[in-house]
Structure formats: structure tokens, C-alpha cells
Amino acid sequence: WYAVGYCLLREAIRNFKLDRVIQLRLLNTTFKPPHDFNLDSYFTHSWGVVVGQTEPPKEVKLLFSPQVANE
């Protein structure tokens, strides 16, 4: 499973592999994707990270510490 979100360290939209998440902390910080962001286009060259969805996407909020963001 992957999450797409804004990486403060890289200052860009990035993929985050959820099974590498060690710890979570809920924040009040929010991120709105650019108005022209298209998830299908973003994953065009992803080698099958996203394979046909049978359920609608779910919104999940994640926080990554700097220690794990580089791994």
C-alpha cells in the first residue's frame, strides 16, 4: 500500500510506502494538491503500484519524522 502526499523535506508530492511507517502522530496541518494534479497522470509510469481500484479512494493523513523520511 502507498500514500501520495506532500513531502516537506523534498518540497514535492511523493509516494510513501505504508508498511515502512513506524510511528504516526495526528497534526492539524493540511495539504491541498495543486488544482491541476491528476492521480492517474502521476502514476502513469509507476510500474503497477496502483492496479484497478474496486473501492473509492480513502483520505488518510500521515506524518513522517525526518528520521524515517529519508529511508
Side-chain angles (χ1 to χ4, degrees), residues 18-49:
L18 297 181
D19 65 350
R20 296 184 72 186
V21 174
I22 297 169
Q23 185 177 5
L24 297 174
R25 183 169 41 123
L26 183 60
L27 299 177
N28 289 326
T29 306
T30 61
F31 164 73
K32 291 193 183 236
H35 70 279
D36 60 346
F37 179 77
N38 180 286
L39 194 58
D40 289 331
S41 296
Y42 180 77
F43 280 121
T44 297
H45 303 290
S46 66
W47 292 35
V49 169

Side-chain angles (χ1 to χ4, degrees), residues 1 39 50-59:
W1 289 62
L39 194 58
V50 175
V51 179
Q53 290 191 255
T54 58
E55 298 179 25
K58 297 183 177 41
E59 181 176 326

